[in-house]
Amino acid sequence: MELIVIAKPILFKEESNLINQLFEAGLQVFHLRKENVDEADYRKIIEEIPAEYHPRIALHHFHSLANDYDIHRIHHTESFRKESNNGSLPENKIYSTSIHHLADIEQIGQYDYSFFSPVFNSFSKPGYQGVIPVDFRLEKQDAKPKIIALGGIGLNQIDQVKEMNFDGIALLGSIWNDPSQALLTFKKAQAKCRAYSQNLTRQT
């Protein structure tokens, strides 16, 4: 099961330090998404991360920065995707997007993976309520795109997400609501995801 971390929407002190600690602990994909910041802020964050980790960063904004750094991942918001009429995507990048209705899976076949949210009540957005029933199970016809569960996922929800048949989870509020525990929370989530993947390997 894949494990992705999404940046806290606002800038905060020691952020790059914590991001680097997550990468050092084995984080494979980090989505850089910020609200109301400019390109200079994005550059500052990227440049405070060692170059060896740049290929693990996915850009939500200022996509042209991928050309200045060794960044291979581009994220298209739902609104961007719809405005661009789902055109074909270049093959030299890994592309992701977001959906909020499962019926939209049929419209995103050109993407490598997509977030689906909110699965549970959001930790980072009070009042943002989960939209799927407890006994939900994801049924997909094709292996691509992978569907990543997002919204209200903490350590206590990971096992439930596994049973729902998602391809992975994305953590946001559970990581950043208490930055002092970010690394520990990540490591615990990582262990749960690895254990699940190992069980699947044994079964096959």
Side-chain angles (χ1 to χ4, degrees):
M1 172 174 277
E2 295 194 25
L3 174 58
I4 294 172
V5 171
I6 300 176
K8 188 171 184 175
I10 60 172
L11 299 169
F12 67 96
K13 190 177 180 180
E14 295 297 318
E15 179 173 17
S16 297
N17 226 10
L18 283 173
I19 294 169
N20 289 334
Q21 290 179 33
L22 296 178
F23 279 133
E24 290 166 5
L27 176 63
Q28 294 301 304
V29 182
F30 174 73
H31 274 248
L32 181 53
R33 181 186 73 183
K34 292 291 181 181
E35 298 175 355
N36 304 316
V37 302
D38 59 22
E39 184 174 323
D41 290 318
Y42 263 61
R43 282 188 181 275
K44 185 173 186 297
I45 293 172
I46 294 169
E47 291 177 357
E48 289 177 348
I49 295 171
E52 64 188 283
Y53 298 132
H54 289 177
R56 304 186 197 179
I57 298 172
L59 291 174
H60 279 237
H61 306 98
F62 310 111
H63 294 158
S64 62
L65 290 176
N67 299 322
D68 298 336
Y69 304 94
D70 190 21
I71 292 178
H72 307 154
R73 296 173 176 271
I74 300 294
H75 183 85
H76 289 166
T77 64
E78 186 173 45
S79 59
F80 179 94
R81 186 185 76 246
K82 291 180 176 179
E83 289 170 5
S84 62
N85 297 316
N86 290 318
S88 60
L89 299 171
E91 296 182 359
N92 62 339
K93 301 290 184 186
I94 298 171
Y95 286 89
S96 59
T97 188
S98 300
I99 59 173
H100 298 87
H101 303 283
L102 287 170
D104 289 346
I105 290 177
E106 298 178 3
Q107 303 173 13
I108 58 173
Q110 71 272 41
Y111 286 88
D112 295 283
Y113 62 96
S114 175
F115 296 123
F116 171 73
S117 69
V119 175
F120 305 112
N121 296 344
S122 175
F123 294 141
S124 59
K125 297 179 180 179
Y128 199 43
Q129 303 295 307
V131 296
I132 60 176
V134 174
D135 59 352
F136 171 82
R137 183 171 174 80
L138 178 66
E139 300 294 342
K140 291 197 305 173
Q141 299 299 318
D142 302 311
K144 186 179 177 182
K146 294 178 180 179
I147 302 299
I148 308 298
L150 169 64
I153 300 173
L155 297 176
N156 294 332
Q157 287 74 35
I158 292 176
D159 290 337
Q160 189 174 346
V161 174
K162 293 174 185 175
E163 296 302 317
M164 291 177 173
N165 201 38
F166 283 98
D167 297 298
I169 62 171
L171 303 182
L172 199 168
S174 59
I175 293 288
W176 303 116
N177 284 356
D178 184 356
S180 69
Q181 296 298 308
L183 183 59
L184 179 60
T185 300
F186 170 76
K187 287 182 175 179
K188 289 180 177 179
Q190 182 185 54
K192 282 178 171 283
C193 291
R194 283 178 174 171
Y196 179 70
S197 298
Q198 289 169 355
N199 287 337
L200 283 182
T201 301
R202 292 191 193 102
Q203 293 172 11
T204 56

